[in-house]
Amino acid sequence: MKALILVGGFGTRLRPLTLSVPKPLVDFANKPMILHQIEALKAIGVTEVVLAINYQPEVMLNFLKDFEKKLDIRITCSQETEPLGTAGPLALARDKLIDNSGEPFFVLNSDVISEYPLKEMIEFHKSHGGEASIMVTKVDEPSKYGVVVMDGTTGKVEKFVEKPKIFVGNKINAGIYLLNPSVLDRIELKPTSIEKEVFPKIAAEKKLYAMVLPGFWMDIGQPKDYITGLRLYLDSLRKKSSSKLVRGSHIIGNVLVDESAVIGEGCLIGPDVAIGPGCEIEPGVRLSNCTVMRGVRIKKHACISSSIIGWHSTVGRWARIENMTILGEDVHIADEVYSNGGVVLPHKEIKSSILKPEIVM
């Protein structure tokens, strides 16, 4: 079985992290975002993953070579020379996706994090006999999204309504699809939207079905959603009583710590924190709702909340970092500095406080 992951473009919403690596390689809960998806696909028997990409394919492939061997799965790239939207890349990768088996293939948006109930999706797809299956998720504010109007019992999709002014339903496209090869005959090699052009036609022919995603879902393509996604992901680990979560008198709630990280005396960590490999957290540090990536050093009595600390950065003693501060790779915050929502580009040294949310070039 095969799968295509829509990797797309520059990841501007997650800058400055994406100035160092392509977005799918940004760490989420201590491993690159895209690896969460590749592992889930491998677990249900996918043998080849095609990455639809228009930016830095060499970086992606070099990085993923190790994982190809570890996971025993083939990873290839299909490179766009111009942006092709969300459907064009399927036409471009047609020869990689079609084999003689006639089996359906998965398509995933690379920003989506969830419990990936892919096995259940295969069963659902077989049971309805339609041409395409999409995963949908319930949201509190459907007016911000395109809503999928569907039959509650069969899952047959009736129509799509873009940012509805009146309530038509609360289920939105979750960016995970299972498609028969025949869907490729509907897509031309040009910039095309699968959501707005391809799916509505399949729905009009009554061949499109939607499955409601069990568990959590988040599009983690921008910082505040990344932090929310981390909370939901760690919560789902807790529900599975995962051994990955750490416990201890200095831990509050759900916390993930790489085994190579070192944590000093008198720290208070959590809830909803991920600490990456090789990190050094000195005594008396307070961390909550944050990600601390590989090789970071946080000095004594610093306090970090609702922020992302990029690879190999340093936070000085008694510094206070909060309110969606994002430090790019190799940023050094001096002692006693305060950052209120600063977005700091890589390789910077910050010696004075950032009092209001701003970008530091």
Side-chain angles (χ1 to χ4, degrees):
M1 203 173 185
K2 297 186 178 185
L4 178 100
I5 299 179
L6 295 165
V7 172
F10 300 110
T12 46
R13 294 180 305 160
L14 263 189
R15 282 182 184 161
L17 302 170
T18 48
L19 295 172
S20 298
V21 295
K23 182 171 58 175
L25 301 185
V26 170
D27 292 314
F28 175 81
N30 290 356
K31 63 182 163 196
M33 285 184 194
I34 202 163
L35 212 53
H36 291 272
Q37 298 185 331
I38 293 173
E39 286 175 354
L41 289 163
K42 169 67 184 173
I44 51 113
V46 167
T47 53
E48 182 175 347
V49 175
V50 181
L51 307 177
I53 187 167
N54 61 21
Y55 173 60
Q56 292 186 323
E58 311 76 25
V59 181
M60 290 282 289
L61 282 178
N62 290 342
F63 181 86
L64 292 167
K65 276 282 171 283
D66 299 346
F67 294 105
E68 259 194 320
K69 292 191 189 76
K70 272 184 209 160
L71 296 171
D72 186 27
I73 190 168
R74 188 156 179 243
I75 302 171
T76 59
C77 267
S78 168
Q79 190 185 359
E80 307 164 31
T81 48
E82 58 163 341
L84 289 171
T86 49
L90 278 70
L92 187 66
R94 183 190 175 101
D95 295 345
K96 293 178 187 282
L97 293 170
I98 284 199
D99 49 24
N100 299 324
S101 68
E103 273 192 320
F105 58 90
F106 280 101
V107 176
L108 287 83
N109 283 347
S110 69
D111 292 355
V112 165
I113 197 90
S114 75
E115 284 170 17
Y116 307 115
L118 305 178
K119 188 164 170 281
E120 294 82 339
M121 195 173 190
I122 295 171
E123 287 160 13
F124 173 73
H125 187 75
K126 284 178 181 161
S127 72
H128 66 64
E131 195 174 358
S133 299
I134 67 174
M135 203 81 88
V136 295
T137 185
K138 291 178 185 170
V139 290
D140 295 334
E141 287 185 59
S143 61
K144 293 196 316 205
Y145 303 92
V147 172
V148 181
V149 181
M150 56 188 272
D151 181 301
T153 21
T154 64
K156 186 179 283 181
V157 174
E158 292 162 19
K159 60 179 177 180
F160 295 84
V161 183
E162 195 56 38
K163 298 184 177 168
K165 295 280 181 282
I166 56 166
F167 185 83
V168 288
N170 64 347
K171 295 176 190 73
I172 65 163
N173 176 349
I176 302 171
Y177 319 129
L178 186 55
L179 311 176
N180 286 354
S182 58
V183 171
L184 293 170
D185 300 333
R186 298 172 176 270
I187 304 170
E188 290 178 59
L189 183 49
K190 61 176 192 184
T192 319
S193 161
I194 200 164
E195 303 86 354
K196 292 178 183 164
E197 296 173 66
V198 181
F199 287 156
K201 286 179 186 162
I202 304 176
E205 292 174 28
K206 302 189 172 11
K207 292 179 181 172
L208 181 67
Y209 288 79
M211 172 183 157
V212 180
L213 179 80
F216 79 99
W217 175 88
M218 200 71 217
D219 175 332
I220 55 172
Q222 54 187 346
K224 74 174 177 15
D225 296 335
Y226 176 106
I227 295 286
T228 304
L230 181 66
R231 175 174 60 77
L232 297 171
Y233 174 81
L234 295 177
D235 192 47
S236 106
L237 288 185
R238 166 72 69 215
K239 285 176 183 154
K240 294 178 195 157
S241 31
S242 167
S243 58
K244 291 179 188 168
L245 294 174
V246 292
R247 291 183 171 77
S249 57
H250 62 302
I251 301 289
I252 304 172
N254 301 329
V255 174
L256 197 60
V257 180
D258 187 89
E259 55 196 21
S260 64
V262 178
I263 296 177
E265 297 274 306
C267 290
L268 191 56
I269 294 173
D272 306 318
V273 172
I275 298 173
C279 289
E280 186 185 346
I281 313 294
E282 292 187 1
V285 164
R286 175 75 181 103
L287 303 177
S288 63
N289 305 95
C290 64
T291 284
V292 179
M293 293 185 181
R294 182 182 61 251
V296 165
R297 182 177 177 203
I298 301 190
K299 296 185 182 176
K300 290 178 184 173
H301 307 293
C303 177
I304 300 173
S305 65
S306 304
S307 295
I308 302 173
I309 310 299
W311 310 270
H312 305 291
S313 292
T314 312
V315 175
R317 294 179 181 196
W318 295 101
R320 188 180 181 95
I321 308 289
E322 62 187 26
N323 190 24
M324 284 302 144
T325 290
I326 307 167
L327 306 186
E329 181 181 16
D330 180 43
V331 167
H332 303 284
I333 302 281
D335 293 351
E336 299 180 26
V337 163
Y338 170 59
S339 171
N340 172 20
V343 173
V344 184
L345 272 64
H347 315 298
K348 293 271 170 236
E349 195 172 347
I350 301 295
K351 292 178 175 171
S352 54
S353 291
I354 302 167
L355 300 178
K356 60 180 195 305
E358 62 177 311
I359 296 170
V360 180
M361 306 291 273

